[in-house]
Amino acid sequence: MVEEKTTYCRICEAYCGLRVTVEDGRVTAIAPDPEHVTSRGYVCRKGTSFDQVVHDPDRVLHPLKKVDGAWQRISWEQAIGEIAVKLNAIRLRHGPHAIGLYMGNPAGYSYSHLLAARGFTDAIGSRNTYGAGSQDNLACFLAAKLLYGAHFQLPIPDLDRCAYLLIVGANPAVSHGTLVNAPNVREKLRAIRRRGGKIVVLDPRRSETAAMADEHHFIRPGTDAFLLLAMLHVILAEGLEARDFLAAHATGVDALRATVARFTPVVAAAETGVPAETIVRLARELAGAKGGSAYGRPVCGPFGTLAAWALEALNVVTGKLDAPGGSVFSEGLIDTVGVSVQIGADQRGRKRSRIGDHKDVVGELPSGILPDEITTPGDGRIRALVVTAGNPVLSTPNGEALAAAMQSLECSVVIDLYQSETAAHADYLLPATSFLEREDLPILHANLMLTPYAQWTEPVVPPQGEAKPEWEIFALLSDAMGLPMLDSRVVDLLRRGARFFGRDLPPRALLDLLVRFGPAGDRFVPWSSGLSLAKVAAHPHGMPLPPIRTGILAEKLRTADRKIHLVDPEIAGDLERLRPGAGAGDPRYPLRLIGRRDTRSNNSWLHNVPRLMDEPCTRLRMHPADAQGIGVADGDVARVRSRVGEIEVQVRVTDEVMPGVVSLPHGWGHAGPTNRRVASARPGASYNALIDGGAMDPLSGMSFLNGFPVAVERAGDGGRAAPG
Ligand SMILES: Nc1nc2c(c(=O)[nH]1)N[C@H]1C(S)=C(S)[C@@H](COP(=O)(O)OP(=O)(O)OC[C@H]3O[C@@H](n4cnc5c(=O)[nH]c(N)nc54)[C@H](O)[C@@H]3O)O[C@H]1N2
Ligand SMILES: Nc1nc2c(c(=O)[nH]1)N[C@H]1C(S)=C(S)[C@@H](COP(=O)(O)OP(=O)(O)OC[C@H]3O[C@@H](n4cnc5c(=O)[nH]c(N)nc54)[C@H](O)[C@@H]3O)O[C@H]1N2
Ligand code: SF4
Ligand SMILES: [Mo]
């Protein structure tokens, strides 16, 4: 039997609509959905190649247990039973914090995974929760918290109407956009220029986005805060700020003016390498643009929160916030901000880490300390780790330290599609369903959509082999451990709304409640025109919701006085670190390493998909002057060293990176025990083997990934490696 089913892709934040052909329970083709409410027929190669993930012969389809160093197939009953006994024993002996959880990026694309993992950790009560956020965007959330009063109250660039877009530390032409849901973002960028608007990119590499822009300026990695504060300096010194807007909505304008006084364009030019005249001009252009915004994620350096905060402050001071074409608040099916406030996830610094006394951001502690939390003796030491939809051995700093630390755990469990590099060090590997095997609705991006919409999808094919959705795995585990999983705060919140719940509530019933008590919900009033999950489900290509509103700032601010706070004690304190020369480092490591993404890959996975792995994309890109200096030619193998590790990679000599900077994608290094044939044929090397977990942005705990000091030299014989 041949069926055509509509669904959507859950690899990246674009959520493109898909049309999937299913023949006798197998996915045989994936095409774009031309009728999808936002993507309208746009799709990338990753989405259309996903059949090669669902039916990958190397996928893990049965629970596995490590016995004498080798994986052995076991039953679900045995796996859940044994894990529950071990976790309970650890909890009883050492308390809740002895169980750690790492939740990776793909979990964010599954509503039921999010609810279940949250319920599981709430029930255990461990402070030790980690995730992709400290490598990704926690500093952006923290900046929103400090300025607007709530972590998830993050505005998005109004790409469809803006006349000026300053992109700092993002590469939407390849990433398809982050912290904003805007499928086919390349077309949106092109349209800005067709409308007569302007795009300016600041990036240490002439990125694919820079190539589409009107202007690109090289900026030294990790120095964005200097430049953004200097732009604020120019605007406030020249009286270009939006006075009426600030008078109505902000406090601390004069204090900010005083704070940024020392960040002159000349100081910033010396730090960033961007000429002072350019900084002045960009400040004037942004301030003068009718509808524009500063956008990006320049947060993976040593001053991540300061950079994120200054970027937001630019939109505030120029009055671009909450204005058409500016930096706007989107609203969707679910009130992400309200829910996070009500479940207590919005509090600043709810928990503190044992190592380093770091504050969490939205529940996450810095991944950089995870190995030390496992190996450092004492009360509260992590003795069991559950990793779900993550590959921290490749994606977090000093992955080798984590791999080694995992050996000392009493119990480690990985829930994944594959025998990942992290799974290689685990005791149990539990097979999860891929996104085409599960129902879903995009909730994480509910208030980040440029064109707000809702979409419900049923599974397109049944679970492959014995794979289970994570929801079910956590429910089984909670049951076996005797944990009251459904007593989590999320469920409490929902219970208050609807009083009729039992223990065996399927996740879609919870979701229905979130929808019905959400901003667009029907509140169970039969004659209401509001929404329920069933009403959303009646729109197979997605259901449009009311478009973005502007002029709603008063509703959106969550600070106690309903004002934007342009001074904040944590920011003021951290600014003390931002002194000229702060980025100067150890002369033994003269180059700065930055990351790079590729349209064929997604973080550390999809590297076993034959259709995507057709061209090499893992070379270290290096400026000709730097290459010449160390005698390396295009195609040579070089050794990259940092204070914590070294790797060997093939070099591509190109002036697309600025002198002094080398660029390498993360998520590679598929050597070691794995059954993934395509990935291990082109393993690449792991970027994060070079990164020191102890080096981080102190306010957000975000890892210092971009701009990390390294040295590059010609490898031993300078020989040529296989292409990769
Ligand atoms: N140096 C450096 N490091 C980085 C970054 C960088 O720019 N530079 N970027 C960081 C960012 S932004 C992120 S988000 C992180 C990502 O880092 P992680 O969150 O650790 O995620 P991935 O490396 O993408 O690994 C995802 C794993 O989940 C598995 N998987 C895929 N789909 C599913 C599913 O549906 N269920 C389950 N259970 N498993 C699934 C995959 O097989 C893979 O093993 O990497 C970060 N690390
Ligand atoms: N194809 C593909 N798409 C993806 C992913 C993927 O791995 N592959 N990952 C997804 C994920 S998890 C995320 S979080 C998003 C990320 O989405 P983006 O943030 O848009 O993508 P990045 O590639 O991280 O872009 C960072 C850009 O900043 C530049 N850069 C590095 N250091 C600095 C610096 O110090 N200052 C400045 N100004 N620029 C700097 C880099 O050269 C790069 O061009 O992409 C998502 N989409
Ligand atoms: S851009 Fe590609 S990976 Fe991202 S959602 Fe669309 S099809 Fe999937
Ligand atoms: Mo990410």
Side-chain angles (χ1 to χ4, degrees):
M1 190 176 62
V2 181
E3 295 166 279
E4 290 278 333
K5 300 188 178 184
T6 58
T7 187
Y8 63 91
C9 180
R10 279 149 275 174
I11 296 171
C12 87
E13 297 170 59
Y15 296 111
C16 299
L18 301 177
R19 232 168 47 191
V20 182
T21 310
V22 179
E23 291 181 40
D24 301 323
R26 281 184 75 84
V27 178
T28 52
I30 303 180
D33 177 4
E35 291 165 77
H36 188 268
V37 62
T38 57
S39 63
R40 299 185 183 282
Y42 180 80
V43 78
C44 87
R45 297 163 60 170
K46 297 189 289 302
T48 51
S49 301
F50 205 75
D51 54 311
Q52 293 193 325
V53 171
V54 179
H55 303 298
D56 189 336
D58 296 340
R59 227 181 110 175
V60 176
L61 294 176
H62 310 282
L64 299 174
K65 176 184 182 179
K66 191 81 68 49
V67 181
D68 298 327
W71 288 118
Q72 209 171 71
R73 179 172 168 180
I74 58 172
S75 70
W76 271 108
E77 291 68 28
Q78 183 186 347
I80 295 293
E82 288 185 13
I83 295 166
V85 166
K86 288 182 186 178
L87 294 185
N88 266 343
I90 291 168
R91 208 158 57 104
L92 215 62
R93 232 178 316 125
H94 305 288
H97 305 307
I99 300 176
L101 185 102
Y102 176 96
M103 187 157 71
N105 173 279
Y109 296 93
S110 162
Y111 88 89
S112 59
H113 193 166
L114 284 173
L115 287 176
R118 170 95 205 176
F120 184 71
T121 42
D122 276 2
I124 289 181
S126 171
R127 73 171 161 250
N128 278 310
T129 50
Y130 301 82
S134 57
Q135 285 62 251
D136 185 346
N137 50 25
L138 293 185
C140 305
F141 292 134
L142 181 54
K145 173 70 178 173
L146 300 179
L147 283 161
Y148 313 134
H151 290 94
F152 294 119
Q153 197 56 278
L154 205 63
I156 61 172
D158 191 0
L159 298 171
D160 286 332
R161 294 185 285 180
C162 80
Y164 192 90
L165 186 63
L166 177 68
I167 301 180
V168 191
N171 187 11
V174 168
S175 71
H176 295 99
T178 187
L179 297 172
V180 59
N181 165 260
N184 200 358
V185 66
R186 283 185 207 226
E187 178 48 31
K188 294 191 185 297
L189 296 179
R190 281 192 287 266
I192 292 173
R193 297 189 63 193
R194 274 202 304 272
R195 291 197 298 271
K198 181 168 179 178
I199 303 174
V200 178
V201 173
L202 291 163
D203 197 308
R205 182 172 81 87
R206 199 179 324 109
S207 66
E208 296 73 3
T209 305
M212 298 179 68
D214 296 87
E215 272 181 40
H216 163 241
H217 303 280
F218 283 130
I219 181 169
R220 281 191 201 115
T223 64
D224 303 270
F226 282 102
L227 182 132
L228 299 167
L229 289 162
M231 287 179 69
L232 285 166
H233 170 106
V234 172
I235 290 162
L236 290 168
E238 297 188 358
L240 303 176
E241 72 269 26
R243 290 223 181 102
D244 294 344
F245 175 84
L246 293 173
H249 299 294
T251 62
V253 181
D254 292 328
L256 179 64
R257 199 187 321 270
T259 301
V260 297
R262 72 180 167 95
F263 296 99
T264 63
V266 172
V267 166
E271 297 300 312
T272 60
V274 180
E277 316 80 81
T278 306
I279 299 174
V280 173
R281 180 171 56 79
L282 294 180
R284 290 177 185 159
E285 282 179 7
L286 178 67
K290 280 223 165 7
S293 71
Y295 160 78
R297 205 174 58 92
V299 295
C300 300
F303 306 106
T305 304
L306 292 179
W309 189 89
L311 192 76
E312 285 291 332
L314 270 175
N315 289 326
V316 172
V317 166
T318 56
K320 301 292 187 276
L321 184 69
D322 191 36
S327 179
V328 294
F329 293 109
S330 174
E331 300 166 298
L333 193 60
I334 288 161
D335 176 14
T336 329
V337 177
V339 171
S340 71
V341 170
Q342 291 195 50
I343 64 173
D346 188 59
Q347 234 172 298
R348 169 75 180 125
R350 227 172 346 140
K351 2 183 230 185
R352 298 282 186 144
S353 64
R354 180 177 69 117
I355 307 291
D357 197 33
H358 299 285
K359 289 179 183 170
D360 73 297
V361 178
V362 296
E364 281 188 37
L365 291 172
S367 298
I369 61 168
L370 181 54
D372 288 346
E373 288 280 3
I374 296 171
T375 53
T376 309
D379 235 20
R381 173 179 184 177
I382 297 177
R383 292 163 194 273
L385 183 66
V386 178
V387 175
T388 183
N391 194 3
V393 165
L394 292 190
S395 57
T396 67
N398 206 347
E400 282 169 27
L402 179 62
M406 284 180 74
Q407 301 309 313
S408 65
L409 290 167
E410 290 168 34
C411 178
S412 49
V413 181
V414 169
I415 304 172
D416 206 295
L417 310 177
Y418 286 105
Q419 288 187 21
S420 69
E421 288 66 26
T422 306
H425 303 280
D427 304 323
Y428 295 91
L429 176 50
L430 305 179
T433 48
S434 74
F435 71 73
L436 286 182
E437 297 150 62
R438 64 174 189 248
E439 62 185 36
D440 241 320
L441 177 141
I443 60 170
L444 204 63
H445 287 77
N447 70 339
L448 296 170
M449 290 172 167
L450 193 59
T451 305
Y453 75 100
Q455 184 170 15
W456 170 257
T457 179
E458 294 287 342
V460 163
V461 285
Q464 303 295 294
E466 292 181 16
K468 288 185 187 295
E470 295 83 358
W471 162 266
E472 217 177 306
I473 299 173
F474 281 112
L476 287 170
L477 209 49
S478 301
D479 251 1
M481 290 173 71
L483 288 176
M485 173 159 164
L486 290 184
D487 280 345
S488 85
R489 286 157 111 165
V490 183
V491 180
D492 266 1
L493 176 74
L494 296 167
R495 268 215 187 108
R496 265 182 273 139
R499 271 150 271 121
F500 44 81
F501 274 115
R503 180 89 173 66
D504 296 319
L505 197 68
R508 68 169 74 188
L510 286 178
L511 183 65
D512 189 35
L513 285 172
L514 275 175
V515 171
R516 300 179 88 163
F517 287 105
D522 68 359
R523 296 187 155 56
F524 288 91
V525 177
W527 53 86
S528 165
S529 61
L531 299 180
S532 63
L533 204 50
K535 285 189 195 165
V536 173
H539 298 257
H541 309 285
M543 176 184 193
L545 296 174
I548 282 181
R549 298 184 295 148
T550 51
I552 55 171
L553 192 54
E555 288 170 47
K556 294 293 156 191
L557 293 178
R558 291 258 178 182
T559 48
D561 57 1
R562 302 253 155 197
K563 301 275 188 203
I564 301 165
H565 293 182
L566 288 173
V567 274
D568 176 85
E570 289 195 83
I571 295 293
D574 203 33
L575 278 168
E576 288 306 311
R577 283 193 307 131
L578 200 65
R579 295 282 166 191
D586 185 336
R588 284 176 301 171
Y589 304 107
L591 297 170
R592 296 288 178 271
L593 180 65
I594 62 166
R596 185 173 81 237
R597 287 178 155 81
D598 187 287
T599 40
R600 283 164 291 229
S601 157
N602 197 63
N603 297 320
S604 77
W605 66 300
L606 300 180
H607 299 169
N608 206 50
V609 175
R611 224 178 281 140
L612 295 174
M613 291 299 112
D614 52 356
E615 280 177 60
C617 52
T618 58
R619 289 197 196 181
L620 182 80
R621 299 198 183 164
M622 185 174 215
H623 191 271
D626 293 322
Q628 206 174 19
I630 57 167
V632 169
D634 203 61
D636 279 355
V637 176
R639 187 174 306 113
V640 190
R641 285 187 294 110
S642 76
R643 63 179 186 246
V644 297
E646 62 175 63
I647 57 174
E648 289 195 357
V649 285
Q650 202 175 14
V651 171
R652 175 178 295 168
V653 179
T654 164
D655 66 3
E656 76 179 39
V657 288
M658 68 190 289
V661 171
V662 284
S663 148
L664 186 75
H666 73 281
W668 295 85
H670 303 298
T674 175
N675 67 339
R676 287 164 301 165
R677 284 164 282 189
V678 179
S680 42
R682 184 170 277 150
S686 177
Y687 184 119
N688 287 322
L690 299 166
I691 304 299
D692 182 350
M696 64 180 81
D697 169 43
L699 293 188
S700 65
M702 276 195 64
S703 308
F704 179 2
L705 303 174
N706 281 334
F708 200 77
V710 295
V712 178
E713 63 212 12
R714 201 155 177 264
D717 54 3
R720 287 168 187 242

Tab-separated table of all heavy atoms in Angstrom, residues 458-482:
chain	number	residue	atom	x	y	z
A	458	GLU	N	0.779	13.261	13.359
A	458	GLU	CA	0.801	11.888	13.859
A	458	GLU	C	2.120	11.261	13.413
A	458	GLU	O	2.780	11.781	12.507
A	458	GLU	CB	-0.369	11.088	13.251
A	458	GLU	CG	-1.745	11.560	13.676
A	458	GLU	CD	-2.089	11.206	15.128
A	458	GLU	OE1	-1.419	10.317	15.707
A	458	GLU	OE2	-3.028	11.814	15.664
A	459	PRO	N	2.507	10.124	13.994
A	459	PRO	CA	3.687	9.432	13.467
A	459	PRO	C	3.441	9.056	12.005
A	459	PRO	O	2.323	8.729	11.628
A	459	PRO	CB	3.788	8.172	14.328
A	459	PRO	CG	2.936	8.412	15.520
A	459	PRO	CD	1.894	9.411	15.126
A	460	VAL	N	4.500	9.121	11.198
A	460	VAL	CA	4.363	8.802	9.784
A	460	VAL	C	4.575	7.311	9.543
A	460	VAL	O	3.927	6.695	8.696
A	460	VAL	CB	5.362	9.675	8.987
A	460	VAL	CG1	5.581	9.144	7.594
A	460	VAL	CG2	4.853	11.112	8.942
A	461	VAL	N	5.501	6.735	10.298
A	461	VAL	CA	5.687	5.272	10.261
A	461	VAL	C	5.735	4.780	11.710
A	461	VAL	O	6.031	5.557	12.617
A	461	VAL	CB	6.996	4.848	9.529
A	461	VAL	CG1	6.846	4.987	8.032
A	461	VAL	CG2	8.199	5.627	10.033
A	462	PRO	N	5.447	3.499	11.920
A	462	PRO	CA	5.500	2.986	13.299
A	462	PRO	C	6.948	2.927	13.791
A	462	PRO	O	7.880	2.967	12.977
A	462	PRO	CB	4.912	1.579	13.179
A	462	PRO	CG	4.981	1.222	11.740
A	462	PRO	CD	5.016	2.481	10.953
A	463	PRO	N	7.151	2.825	15.104
A	463	PRO	CA	8.508	2.704	15.627
A	463	PRO	C	9.245	1.558	14.943
A	463	PRO	O	8.686	0.480	14.750
A	463	PRO	CB	8.292	2.400	17.111
A	463	PRO	CG	6.944	2.948	17.422
A	463	PRO	CD	6.137	2.799	16.166
A	464	GLN	N	10.477	1.795	14.552
A	464	GLN	CA	11.284	0.760	13.906
A	464	GLN	C	11.832	-0.183	14.979
A	464	GLN	O	12.221	0.270	16.069
A	464	GLN	CB	12.425	1.400	13.127
A	464	GLN	CG	11.948	2.411	12.081
A	464	GLN	CD	11.121	1.777	10.969
A	464	GLN	OE1	11.629	0.980	10.187
A	464	GLN	NE2	9.831	2.108	10.910
A	465	GLY	N	11.900	-1.446	14.657
A	465	GLY	CA	12.426	-2.428	15.610
A	465	GLY	C	11.708	-2.304	16.945
A	465	GLY	O	10.483	-2.190	16.990
A	466	GLU	N	12.491	-2.269	18.018
A	466	GLU	CA	11.902	-2.111	19.356
A	466	GLU	C	12.054	-0.687	19.876
A	466	GLU	O	11.963	-0.445	21.078
A	466	GLU	CB	12.557	-3.085	20.333
A	466	GLU	CG	12.234	-4.539	20.042
A	466	GLU	CD	12.881	-5.469	21.064
A	466	GLU	OE1	13.315	-5.012	22.142
A	466	GLU	OE2	12.970	-6.671	20.773
A	467	ALA	N	12.324	0.271	18.980
A	467	ALA	CA	12.508	1.658	19.420
A	467	ALA	C	11.242	2.171	20.098
A	467	ALA	O	10.129	1.775	19.743
A	467	ALA	CB	12.862	2.544	18.234
A	468	LYS	N	11.437	3.037	21.081
A	468	LYS	CA	10.292	3.633	21.784
A	468	LYS	C	10.482	5.138	21.848
A	468	LYS	O	11.611	5.618	21.925
A	468	LYS	CB	10.224	3.124	23.226
A	468	LYS	CG	9.792	1.675	23.383
A	468	LYS	CD	9.657	1.356	24.871
A	468	LYS	CE	9.404	-0.126	25.125
A	468	LYS	NZ	8.111	-0.598	24.600
A	469	PRO	N	9.357	5.891	21.868
A	469	PRO	CA	9.491	7.325	22.112
A	469	PRO	C	10.024	7.552	23.531
A	469	PRO	O	9.725	6.772	24.440
A	469	PRO	CB	8.082	7.880	21.950
A	469	PRO	CG	7.171	6.705	21.934
A	469	PRO	CD	7.969	5.465	21.691
A	470	GLU	N	10.798	8.622	23.703
A	470	GLU	CA	11.426	8.880	25.000
A	470	GLU	C	10.391	8.978	26.114
A	470	GLU	O	10.648	8.586	27.249
A	470	GLU	CB	12.250	10.170	24.964
A	470	GLU	CG	13.436	10.127	24.031
A	470	GLU	CD	13.061	10.418	22.590
A	470	GLU	OE1	11.868	10.618	22.300
A	470	GLU	OE2	13.975	10.426	21.740
A	471	TRP	N	9.233	9.521	25.766
A	471	TRP	CA	8.171	9.633	26.761
A	471	TRP	C	7.913	8.289	27.447
A	471	TRP	O	7.863	8.189	28.668
A	471	TRP	CB	6.886	10.132	26.079
A	471	TRP	CG	5.653	9.883	26.889
A	471	TRP	CD1	4.818	8.821	26.807
A	471	TRP	CD2	5.165	10.712	27.939
A	471	TRP	NE1	3.822	8.935	27.732
A	471	TRP	CE2	4.008	10.086	28.443
A	471	TRP	CE3	5.572	11.918	28.499
A	471	TRP	CZ2	3.258	10.633	29.481
A	471	TRP	CZ3	4.827	12.459	29.535
A	471	TRP	CH2	3.691	11.821	30.013
A	472	GLU	N	7.815	7.266	26.595
A	472	GLU	CA	7.501	5.950	27.121
A	472	GLU	C	8.679	5.404	27.940
A	472	GLU	O	8.478	4.761	28.967
A	472	GLU	CB	7.230	5.032	25.929
A	472	GLU	CG	6.133	4.041	26.172
A	472	GLU	CD	5.873	3.220	24.917
A	472	GLU	OE1	5.636	3.832	23.848
A	472	GLU	OE2	5.932	1.988	25.013
A	473	ILE	N	9.876	5.675	27.477
A	473	ILE	CA	11.061	5.169	28.186
A	473	ILE	C	11.125	5.780	29.595
A	473	ILE	O	11.314	5.079	30.585
A	473	ILE	CB	12.352	5.487	27.396
A	473	ILE	CG1	12.295	4.812	26.013
A	473	ILE	CG2	13.593	5.036	28.167
A	473	ILE	CD1	13.431	5.190	25.069
A	474	PHE	N	10.918	7.104	29.665
A	474	PHE	CA	10.961	7.752	30.993
A	474	PHE	C	9.789	7.293	31.869
A	474	PHE	O	9.931	7.172	33.084
A	474	PHE	CB	10.968	9.277	30.847
A	474	PHE	CG	12.323	9.822	30.479
A	474	PHE	CD1	12.551	10.395	29.240
A	474	PHE	CD2	13.389	9.749	31.373
A	474	PHE	CE1	13.804	10.886	28.898
A	474	PHE	CE2	14.645	10.235	31.041
A	474	PHE	CZ	14.855	10.809	29.792
A	475	ALA	N	8.643	7.053	31.248
A	475	ALA	CA	7.496	6.586	32.042
A	475	ALA	C	7.773	5.191	32.604
A	475	ALA	O	7.506	4.919	33.781
A	475	ALA	CB	6.230	6.596	31.186
A	476	LEU	N	8.330	4.315	31.765
A	476	LEU	CA	8.658	2.954	32.232
A	476	LEU	C	9.668	3.009	33.373
A	476	LEU	O	9.534	2.323	34.393
A	476	LEU	CB	9.242	2.121	31.082
A	476	LEU	CG	8.274	1.651	29.998
A	476	LEU	CD1	9.047	1.046	28.822
A	476	LEU	CD2	7.279	0.622	30.570
A	477	LEU	N	10.666	3.851	33.188
A	477	LEU	CA	11.727	3.964	34.180
A	477	LEU	C	11.172	4.527	35.493
A	477	LEU	O	11.488	4.038	36.582
A	477	LEU	CB	12.805	4.891	33.609
A	477	LEU	CG	14.246	4.697	34.037
A	477	LEU	CD1	14.683	3.243	33.917
A	477	LEU	CD2	15.161	5.590	33.174
A	478	SER	N	10.321	5.562	35.369
A	478	SER	CA	9.733	6.156	36.577
A	478	SER	C	8.891	5.131	37.321
A	478	SER	O	8.948	5.036	38.544
A	478	SER	CB	8.839	7.343	36.211
A	478	SER	OG	9.579	8.299	35.538
A	479	ASP	N	8.109	4.393	36.548
A	479	ASP	CA	7.261	3.367	37.151
A	479	ASP	C	8.104	2.349	37.900
A	479	ASP	O	7.841	2.012	39.053
A	479	ASP	CB	6.489	2.641	36.047
A	479	ASP	CG	5.022	2.997	36.073
A	479	ASP	OD1	4.640	3.827	36.938
A	479	ASP	OD2	4.269	2.460	35.245
A	480	ALA	N	9.138	1.865	37.213
A	480	ALA	CA	9.986	0.829	37.812
A	480	ALA	C	10.721	1.360	39.033
A	480	ALA	O	11.038	0.614	39.958
A	480	ALA	CB	10.980	0.301	36.776
A	481	MET	N	10.997	2.653	39.047
A	481	MET	CA	11.697	3.230	40.200
A	481	MET	C	10.733	3.663	41.294
A	481	MET	O	11.151	4.131	42.348
A	481	MET	CB	12.519	4.456	39.762
A	481	MET	CG	13.726	4.111	38.903
A	481	MET	SD	14.550	5.602	38.242
A	481	MET	CE	15.306	6.276	39.723
A	482	GLY	N	9.439	3.583	40.992
A	482	GLY	CA	8.448	4.037	41.965
A	482	GLY	C	8.437	5.546	42.107
A	482	GLY	O	8.091	6.091	43.154
